[in-house]
Amino acid sequence: MDLVKRLEEYRDRERELMWEGIFAEYFEIASKKPAVARLSHERIYQMIMDAGVETAHTGETHYKFFQDEIFGIEKPLQQIVDYFHSAAQRLEVRKRILLLMGPVGGGKSTIVHLIKRGLEAYSRVPEGAIYAIKDCPMHEEPLHLIPYELRGDVEKEFGLYIEGDLCPHCRYMVDTQYRGRIEEVPVKRISFSEKYRVGVGTFTPSDPKSQDISELVGGIDLSTIGEVGVESDPRAYRFDGELNIANRGVMEFVEMLKTDEKFLYVLLTLSQEQNIKTGRFSMIYADEVVVSHTNEHEYQSFVGNKKSEALQDRIILAKVPYNLRVSDEVKIYEKLLKQSALQNVHIAPYTLRIASIFALLTRLEPSKKAGMSLMKKLKLYDGEDMEDFKQKDVRELQEEAVREGMDGISPRYVINRLSNALIKNNVTYISPIDALRALRDGLDQHTSITREERERYLNFINDARKEYDEIAKKEVQRAFVYSYEESAHTMLNNYLDNVEAYCNKTKLRDPITDEELEPDEHLMRSIEEQIGVSENAKRSFREEILIRISSLARKGLSFDYTSHERLKEAIEKKLFADLRDVVKITTSTRTPDKEQLRKINEVVERLVAEQGYTYESANELLRYTGSLLNR
C-alpha cells in the first residue's frame, strides 16, 4: 500500500465534496435532481434501500444495510424500515419519535449507530448529495429561500416539494446582507458528520439539576449581547443545541425515558409541529429524525405515568428482542471476536454454537404443544425440521409466545465469559466444554439473575452439554467413517441391491451359490432405523431412493452414498455403530498399539484438514468422545 498516493486520492475526493456556488446554481442542480432536496425520513429510507434488499425463501426481507452488524431480528428491522417508508411518503407517521425498546445487549444502540454512520457515508456519495445555505448553523435547505407565494408554482413545474421556513440566522442574513436577493445567497455541499456536528446529533441524559436545556436547543451567547443590544437578535443566539445541529439528519436521544421531563417537553413541539421553540424567537422549523432507545422496565414506568400521555401519543414503538436463531447468534459472536486482538487463540468448531444454544435456551418460552421441548423449538427456529414438527409449525409457535426474546442471557454476557476463557495463561484454544465452563462460572457474578433463574440456567448448560455430546460423537464418527470409506460403499451397494429387489418385488441371486434370496429386510431396517424411518414409512423412503438414482442416471451421473443426505447419515451411523467398539478402544486406550496409533493419526489429520480443528483440539475431541463411549 502506497500511503502517500492513497492520501492524495483521499484529498481529491474531499475537494469534490467542497462544491460552492450561489442559490441560482443550486436551483439548477435541484431542478434536474430533486433527490438532493429530500426530507430527512426519505433520505434515510432511500439510504437503506440503495444498499440492497433480498427476500429469503421463508419470505423474510433482508436489508443489506444492516446485514454485517445486525443478525436474527428481521421482523423488528422490517418494522423500522416500514416506519421510514411511511414517513418518506410524508404521512403523519413522520411526526413521531421512533423508540426502540428491548433488553440490554439486544442491538438497539447498534441499529441507531448504523443509521448515523450510514448517513455520514451516504451524504458523501453522489446518490446522497445534500446542500445547505453557507454558514447556516442549522445547515438550512436552500429551497427555504423561495417565498411561500412562489412555492406552489415551483412544485408544479419542477416537482420540488418545499416544506419549512428559514431559521432566524438565515432570515437576518437574507434581509440585511443580500437585501432579499435570494438568488445570490451562497450555497455549499455538506457532508453529515457527528464529529463536526453536522446533521447528526446525540443527546445523553445526565444529572437533571446540572444539565441545561441549551444542550438541546442552544442558548444566548453572552459575549455578543453587548454588541447587538437585545437577546432577540439572531446574532446573540447560539444555534448549537443537538436538535439544531441535527437538522436535516438524525438525532439520537440516548435512554430518552431517563431524561428529566423539561427535556421531553421540547420533543412534543418538535415531533408534532416540526418546530423548536428557543428563547425569544418564534418557532424554528426543523426536519430531523429523532430516534431513541430504552429498556422494558423504563418503558412500562413511562406508559404508567399519566403526565406523559401527550408524548406517548407521539411515539412509534419498535420492540427489539434478542435474536432467537442459533446460526445468527454465532454470527454475532464471530463479529465481536473479529474485533478483538486475540487472533492467535483457536476457537474449536462448535464452541460458539454451543454457547449460542445455551444463550437461546434462556430466551425461549416453553410451548404448550405436546412433545415440544425448548431444544426442539430452538432447532425449528433455526430452520431444522424435527420428526414430529416442521417449519410450518414455526409461525404458530411464535404467535403462542408473548414475550419471547425479551428476557434471558444477553450476547454481551456470553462474549464477556468467552473473553475471560480466551485470556487465561497458556491458552492456545478453547473448546465447547471450556465455553460452557466459563458460562457456568460466570453465573455467580451475574448481578441481575435470581437464585431460581440461576438454577434454571444451570439446567440449560447441562442441556447444551448433552447437545455437544451428540455433536462430538458425530464429528468423530465422520472422521472414522472416512477411514472406512470402502466399507461405506460396500454397505451402500448391499442396501441398494436389496431396496431395488424389494420395490420391484423380485429376488436377489447369491453370487457364490447362485441361489435366489428374498430381500434382506433385517439389513435394510438396521440402516433405516438409524435415522428414524418408521415401519410405515419404509416403502416411501425406499422408493424415494430409487427415484433419486433414476433422476441422476438420466443426467449421466452416478449415485453414491453422499448423493442422498439422509441415506448418507444412515450409512455413517450404521457403520459407526458397527465400529463403536473399535472407536471406543482406539480413542480411550492410554497405550495404543501401532495399528491403533495409525488410526488415531488418520482421524486427527482428517479433523484438522477438513473440520477446522487444530492438532490439540482434535486430540481433546478424541479423548472426550472416548470418555463418552466408555460411560
Side-chain angles (χ1 to χ4, degrees):
M1 171 181 167
D2 186 341
L3 182 60
V4 174
K5 184 180 178 183
R6 293 288 291 273
L7 287 170
E8 283 291 341
E9 292 171 355
Y10 172 77
R11 284 191 286 270
D12 288 342
R13 288 197 302 271
E14 289 298 298
R15 279 190 283 272
E16 290 176 13
L17 297 171
M18 297 172 77
W19 179 93
E20 289 191 17
I22 58 174
F23 177 72
E25 294 172 308
Y26 169 72
F27 186 77
E28 190 175 338
I29 293 171
S31 60
K32 292 177 182 175
K33 188 182 176 184
V36 298
R38 284 184 291 223
L39 297 178
S40 57
H41 289 84
E42 185 182 358
R43 181 172 289 107
I44 290 177
Y45 175 69
Q46 203 56 53
M47 169 188 75
I48 293 170
M49 300 308 290
D50 282 356
V53 184
E54 291 178 344
T55 303
H57 68 279
T58 57
E60 286 183 333
T61 304
H62 292 271
Y63 297 97
K64 292 184 179 180
F65 179 80
F66 300 102
Q67 71 179 6
D68 294 332
E69 296 288 333
I70 304 291
F71 307 100
I73 51 171
E74 280 75 16
K75 286 185 178 178
L77 290 179
Q78 179 69 65
Q79 187 181 353
I80 291 166
V81 175
D82 286 346
Y83 161 79
F84 284 113
H85 190 187
S86 299
Q89 310 303 314
R90 300 198 295 274
L91 296 171
E92 190 70 10
V93 72
R94 73 193 173 108
K95 298 179 179 180
R96 305 288 182 269
I97 297 162
L98 179 62
L99 178 63
L100 310 182
M101 186 269 285
V104 295
K108 304 183 296 297
S109 55
T110 303
I111 292 171
V112 183
H113 176 81
L114 282 174
I115 291 172
K116 293 199 297 185
R117 295 295 83 79
L119 261 183
E120 291 178 345
Y122 192 60
S123 68
R124 299 171 68 84
V125 298
E127 297 81 9
I130 183 169
Y131 299 80
I133 297 173
K134 187 177 180 182
D135 298 325
C136 172
M138 292 182 62
H139 333 297
E140 192 88 39
E141 165 58 60
L143 293 179
H144 288 178
L145 291 162
I146 298 175
Y148 278 98
E149 290 78 2
L150 301 180
R151 290 184 181 183
D153 293 336
V154 168
E155 182 175 1
K156 189 175 180 180
E157 185 167 345
F158 298 100
L160 289 168
Y161 174 77
I162 308 170
E163 177 182 284
D165 201 0
L166 292 173
C167 71
H169 177 277
C170 290
R171 192 179 303 117
Y172 180 87
M173 176 185 67
V174 171
D175 292 344
T176 59
Q177 193 172 341
Y178 293 94
R179 306 292 180 185
R181 295 186 60 80
I182 64 169
E183 62 270 28
E184 297 175 6
V185 173
V187 174
K188 68 174 184 177
R189 183 173 174 181
I190 61 172
S191 298
F192 284 156
S193 168
E194 185 168 22
K195 183 168 60 176
Y196 292 107
R197 309 191 77 225
V198 178
V200 181
T202 303
F203 181 79
T204 306
S206 59
D207 181 7
K209 293 178 181 178
S210 60
Q211 194 164 27
D212 197 309
I213 195 73
S214 64
E215 289 184 38
L216 267 183
V217 298
I220 300 294
D221 187 349
L222 298 174
S223 65
T224 59
I225 288 180
E227 298 174 24
V228 300
V230 291
E231 293 182 2
S232 58
D233 191 305
R235 292 170 294 174
Y237 200 87
R238 290 180 289 103
F239 297 90
D240 61 355
E242 295 301 320
L243 292 177
N244 302 112
I245 63 101
N247 183 40
R248 306 186 70 196
V250 62
M251 211 280 284
E252 177 185 8
F253 214 118
V254 178
E255 295 291 348
M256 183 178 80
L257 303 185
K258 286 188 170 74
T259 311
D260 190 68
E261 286 183 0
K262 66 180 179 182
F263 296 96
L264 297 180
Y265 292 147
V266 177
L267 298 181
L268 291 175
T269 308
L270 176 66
S271 59
Q272 189 61 40
E273 307 299 332
Q274 293 185 288
N275 286 310
I276 304 169
K277 184 70 177 81
T278 58
R280 291 170 173 79
F281 298 105
S282 60
M283 294 290 190
I284 300 173
Y285 172 81
D287 163 38
E288 59 196 79
V289 176
V290 179
V291 187
S292 184
H293 39 91
T294 188
N295 60 49
E296 191 174 14
H297 176 73
E298 295 282 350
Y299 179 73
Q300 294 302 336
S301 300
F302 170 69
V303 170
N305 183 1
K306 293 295 182 182
K307 289 183 179 179
S308 62
E309 283 182 344
L311 187 59
Q312 290 174 33
D313 198 45
R314 290 168 170 81
I315 284 175
I316 295 290
L317 180 69
K319 289 186 179 180
V320 184
Y322 287 131
N323 159 59
L324 295 175
R325 283 202 295 259
V326 172
S327 52
D328 286 319
E329 192 76 4
V330 170
K331 291 175 186 174
I332 294 172
Y333 303 145
E334 285 175 340
K335 178 193 79 169
L336 294 172
L337 288 169
K338 278 178 186 173
Q339 297 168 0
S340 74
L342 292 165
Q343 303 302 322
N344 295 327
V345 180
H346 172 68
I347 298 174
Y350 298 99
T351 299
L352 299 183
R353 181 174 180 80
I354 294 301
S356 300
I357 286 173
F358 162 70
L360 264 67
L361 286 173
T362 70
R363 302 171 191 168
L364 295 174
E365 288 184 15
S367 172
K368 295 175 183 175
K369 280 181 172 286
M372 177 59 71
S373 67
L374 284 181
M375 189 62 77
K376 282 184 179 179
K377 193 179 194 182
L378 178 145
K379 291 179 179 179
L380 276 170
Y381 279 8
D382 205 37
E384 189 178 336
D385 284 340
M386 299 288 100
E387 294 171 20
D388 39 359
F389 298 101
K390 304 297 177 189
Q391 287 304 299
K392 60 182 176 61
D393 297 306
V394 168
R395 183 180 291 275
E396 192 178 337
L397 288 169
Q398 290 171 336
E399 290 172 354
E400 176 191 35
V402 181
R403 289 179 36 77
E404 200 159 63
M406 298 300 285
D407 297 302
I409 289 292
S410 73
R412 204 171 286 158
Y413 170 81
V414 175
I415 208 68
N416 287 348
R417 297 311 305 164
L418 290 177
S419 301
N420 185 266
L422 285 163
I423 60 169
K424 288 184 177 177
N425 290 335
N426 303 319
V427 167
T428 57
Y429 71 93
I430 63 166
S431 67
I433 297 300
D434 295 326
L436 289 176
R437 190 179 296 119
L439 290 167
R440 181 200 64 199
D441 293 345
L443 291 177
D444 290 330
Q445 303 162 22
H446 202 299
T447 55
S448 61
I449 63 172
T450 63
R451 182 179 296 179
E452 290 76 15
E453 284 176 327
R454 183 180 178 279
E455 291 303 315
R456 195 159 57 90
Y457 291 174
L458 286 173
N459 289 333
F460 290 147
I461 283 179
N462 288 333
D463 291 340
R465 169 80 175 263
K466 289 174 187 173
E467 188 67 18
Y468 176 61
D469 289 351
E470 293 304 311
I471 290 172
K473 284 188 277 190
K474 283 180 182 177
E475 283 285 271
V476 176
Q477 168 186 308
R478 289 194 196 101
F480 263 89
V481 166
Y482 176 76
S483 302
Y484 291 89
E485 195 157 14
E486 190 176 331
S487 303
H489 284 293
T490 302
M491 186 180 292
L492 172 73
N493 290 330
N494 286 338
Y495 175 76
L496 293 179
D497 288 343
N498 282 278
V499 164
E500 190 174 3
Y502 171 84
C503 292
N504 295 332
K505 297 181 180 177
T506 59
K507 293 186 178 181
L508 293 164
R509 189 172 296 279
D510 189 298
I512 299 173
T513 64
D514 207 35
E515 64 177 309
E516 289 189 333
L517 303 170
E518 292 292 333
D520 190 342
E521 186 67 20
H522 176 73
L523 170 69
M524 290 186 287
R525 292 302 294 144
S526 69
I527 292 172
E528 292 159 355
E529 285 170 351
Q530 299 293 330
I531 52 170
V533 175
S534 66
E535 186 70 26
N536 293 333
K538 67 181 184 183
R539 173 172 285 278
S540 60
F541 180 77
R542 293 168 187 176
E543 288 172 348
E544 180 188 325
I545 298 296
L546 288 186
I547 290 169
R548 179 67 62 86
I549 293 171
S550 174
S551 174
L552 289 171
R554 284 200 304 272
K555 297 173 184 175
L557 302 172
S558 58
F559 184 96
D560 66 17
Y561 93 101
T562 63
S563 300
H564 189 283
E565 191 59 39
R566 291 191 72 208
L567 181 57
K568 174 178 178 287
E569 183 186 350
I571 294 286
E572 287 181 347
K573 282 187 171 181
K574 170 62 177 163
L575 190 55
F576 188 65
D578 293 347
L579 293 169
R580 190 181 183 90
D581 289 338
V582 176
V583 176
K584 189 188 296 185
I585 294 167
T586 309
T587 56
S588 60
T589 183
R590 292 188 179 183
T591 54
D593 60 29
K594 190 175 181 180
E595 179 60 23
Q596 289 168 343
L597 196 59
R598 184 186 66 80
K599 192 62 63 181
I600 287 174
N601 289 336
E602 279 184 13
V603 171
V604 168
E605 290 291 343
R606 166 86 165 166
L607 289 168
V608 171
E610 299 194 15
Q611 303 298 101
Y613 290 84
T614 60
Y615 287 101
E616 294 91 338
S617 58
N619 277 297
E620 182 184 314
L621 174 68
L622 287 176
R623 288 192 297 272
Y624 183 73
T625 307
S627 69
L628 289 177
L629 295 174
N630 278 306
R631 285 178 189 171

